[in-house]
Amino acid sequence: EAQVTQNPRYLITVTGKKLTVTCSQNMNHEYMSWYRQDPGLGLRQIYYSMNVEVTDKGDVPEGYKVSRKEKRNFPLILESPSPNQTSLYFCASRVTSNQPQHFGDGTRLSIL
Amino acid sequence: GNSVTQMEGPVTLSEEAFLTINCTYTATGYPSLFWYVQYPGEGLQLLLKATKADDKGSNKGFEATYRKETTSFHLEKGSVQVSDSAVYFCALSVNNFNKFYFGSGTKLNVKP
């Protein structure tokens, strides 16, 4: 079954404690993205990747890092989380640039 | 810059009513336009898309036409069902589909 899997699904943590949200896809997709969803703002793109070792900033990259060492994985790293990063995060992948995105089920982060 | 504006919700309709959700955009260059749907607790799913002016995207009875002259991509359905209750997001993509911009979402409630 084609899947985009995010872990964890829920996390409550404290300011400054480094965390990583993993994203893995089993469809051999080249393109992957991270988004955050906030009430009244819709989804905003954080980072995207066009292939292994190729990443670029989206609209709201501040405070986040990503890496793409293998095609299937695209982790989102918060080196020093702050309360304004409390949000619902989605990872998405697609096979080529003009094909539909497949979204994961989301990760709800609460930074206290 | 690039942005998407869609009508605020929630929109509440009776089953079999006609649905319109307005979406307008501003973009540099020639964007592709999308409607996504999000059911509770899930990630987004592509509903339909249009990649050039005057294209009509359609799926599951939903339609939207890319209107360059009015910079709009309004979503319509002739007869909604209870199962259509969800949040609908209008989005645009530029930079060869690498960058995505989403509207704030419109929640649709359909009552039996």
Side-chain angles (χ1 to χ4, degrees):
Chain A
E1 180 189 349
Q3 275 189 330
V4 178
T5 304
Q6 298 178 222
N7 279 297
R9 292 291 313 278
Y10 305 91
L11 179 64
I12 301 173
T13 187
V14 296
T15 299
K17 186 176 181 182
K18 180 180 178 181
L19 68 91
T20 299
V21 184
T22 63
C23 174
S24 180
Q25 49 94 2
N26 63 357
M27 298 167 280
N28 203 35
H29 286 174
E30 289 191 353
Y31 293 77
M32 299 184 76
S33 289
W34 274 105
Y35 298 88
R36 59 179 290 174
Q37 183 179 11
D38 301 291
L41 297 176
L43 276 77
R44 293 178 291 168
Q45 192 174 27
I46 303 170
Y47 270 95
Y48 63 93
S49 170
M50 293 166 281
N51 212 327
V52 175
E53 303 292 3
V54 182
T55 63
D56 206 348
K57 296 177 181 178
D59 223 23
V60 288
E62 297 79 17
Y64 304 94
K65 285 174 56 177
V66 293
S67 69
R68 188 92 184 273
K69 294 187 171 64
E70 335 161 69
K71 192 180 255 192
R72 65 181 291 127
N73 296 323
F74 190 44
L76 179 70
I77 303 154
L78 285 71
E79 294 268 4
S80 183
S82 62
N84 64 10
Q85 292 177 299
T86 292
S87 187
L88 178 59
Y89 291 84
F90 287 100
C91 179
S93 74
R94 61 192 192 283
V95 59
T96 59
S97 61
N98 64 348
Q99 291 302 307
Q101 297 189 85
H102 295 255
F103 282 81
D105 287 338
T107 294
R108 188 167 290 281
L109 288 183
S110 294
I111 317 290
L112 305 177
Chain B
N2 301 300
S3 67
V4 176
T5 302
Q6 56 182 109
M7 61 188 288
E8 287 190 22
V11 173
T12 301
L13 296 173
S14 298
E15 207 165 23
E16 299 184 2
F18 186 85
L19 168 71
T20 300
I21 301 178
N22 290 337
C23 171
T24 57
Y25 68 89
T26 58
T28 54
Y30 300 97
S32 293
L33 301 174
F34 306 80
W35 277 101
Y36 282 83
V37 59
Q38 184 180 34
Y39 298 101
E42 298 183 9
L44 279 69
Q45 303 173 28
L46 179 66
L47 182 58
L48 52 86
K49 71 175 184 180
T51 56
K52 60 183 188 297
D54 300 325
D55 268 3
K56 177 186 279 188
S58 61
N59 186 25
K60 299 180 182 179
F62 291 89
E63 292 183 342
T65 300
Y66 188 145
R67 302 280 187 205
K68 188 178 177 184
E69 64 276 14
T70 54
T71 61
S72 64
F73 193 55
H74 304 321
L75 182 68
E76 296 182 336
K77 187 176 185 183
S79 176
V80 293
Q81 306 300 312
V82 172
S83 56
D84 293 327
S85 297
V87 181
Y88 292 82
F89 292 91
C90 184
L92 69 84
S93 178
V94 294
N95 190 19
N96 197 28
F97 299 93
N98 283 319
K99 287 205 165 185
F100 278 80
Y101 298 85
F102 285 80
S104 56
T106 302
K107 185 172 184 179
L108 172 65
N109 296 317
V110 181
K111 295 185 173 180

